[in-house]
Amino acid sequence: MLKRSARQREIVAMLRSGITLSVVGLAEELNVSDETVRRELRVLEKQGVVHREHGGARLATPTLEGPLHQRMEANAEAKLRIARAAADFVSDGDILFIDSGTTSCYIAQQLVDRRSLTIITNSLRVASDLGGINNNRLFLASGEMDYGYRAFSDATAQEYISGFTPHLSILSVGGISLDMGLSDFHPGEAAMSRIAYATSQKVLLGADSSKFGRHGLMRTARLTDVDILVTEKRLDAEFAQAFSHADVVIA
């Protein structure tokens, strides 16, 4: 059982998606009673952190994704499950683009036993995990670094990345919706995703269940542009139909 302060942090982390979550859903995720969640929400509302709504709650103000180390902690168990499943699609000698999203960083960590990979990335974390080992080749985009993402995604980096033609791009996403498609919160990262979808033979999208039904600020691609979708929960009927063209893996 989580201590009260830890439980409140978990609630805030789950609400970072920007959407309203139900009391019932929060209670199930935290393995506590509905009344316990309501009590924590009342405290968080008094602190100005959340707005309570009928049957649920949302963050008091819209938030962009936080610094990398904070985002790596969000939904960590789901991202690890996704990463282990996604790694099965990578073989020795592959040419990969790996973006700087947190799920992509988890996937990169699962590739340390692969050999002779060619890694193209804009992420310092990915470069650190996979560069200089197992006869890998590393191509790291440069430009002005975004310290929150520990990555390069400005115009210089975009131009560099656009010159490659990977066998497989491993991408994260900010939001997945039936009407808007795929989207992201960061302009540079959104541009990187658009480049990857345009230049790669195949795209693997790693996305935990919190991303479904969520809208980012900028569109990156259509749902039909995804070749492989790896997530940790079974899709509902509408999303299952929308991704019927893709190889969908439930980790």
Side-chain angles (χ1 to χ4, degrees), residues 188-245:
E189 293 302 316
M192 284 292 187
S193 291
R194 287 192 288 269
I195 292 167
Y197 280 104
T199 59
S200 303
Q201 292 180 22
K202 286 189 175 182
V203 170
L204 183 153
L205 183 67
D208 67 75
S209 55
S210 71
K211 304 300 176 67
F212 290 85
R214 181 183 183 188
H215 286 212
L217 297 177
M218 288 143 288
R219 292 185 65 179
T220 58
R222 301 167 299 181
L223 302 186
T224 52
D225 292 328
V226 176
D227 299 293
I228 305 163
L229 173 66
V230 186
T231 187
E232 92 287 7
K233 289 185 179 179
R234 189 170 301 278
L235 303 181
D236 66 25
E238 287 185 308
F239 277 111
Q241 178 60 36
F243 283 101
S244 61
H245 64 281

Side-chain angles (χ1 to χ4, degrees), residues 71-142:
R71 292 184 292 114
M72 288 290 287
E73 294 174 359
N75 301 317
E77 182 179 347
K79 291 173 182 176
L80 181 58
R81 287 167 56 186
I82 290 167
R84 288 169 174 163
D88 290 341
F89 290 91
V90 177
S91 301
D92 291 349
D94 279 351
I95 301 172
L96 308 174
F97 172 70
I98 306 178
D99 73 9
S100 64
T102 55
T103 304
S104 299
C105 290
Y106 272 90
I107 295 171
Q109 292 168 355
Q110 297 299 311
L111 301 179
V112 294
D113 292 330
R114 301 295 192 277
R115 304 193 62 82
S116 301
L117 297 175
T118 297
I119 304 296
I120 307 146
T121 188
N122 63 319
S123 166
L124 284 180
R125 183 157 188 154
V126 171
S128 176
D129 285 340
L130 295 178
I133 62 170
N134 302 338
N135 199 37
N136 291 345
R137 300 178 71 195
L138 173 69
F139 295 88
L140 177 62
S142 62

Side-chain angles (χ1 to χ4, degrees), residues 64 180 183-187 215-219:
L64 298 180
M180 187 175 179
S183 56
D184 215 321
F185 292 93
H186 187 291
H215 286 212
L217 297 177
M218 288 143 288
R219 292 185 65 179

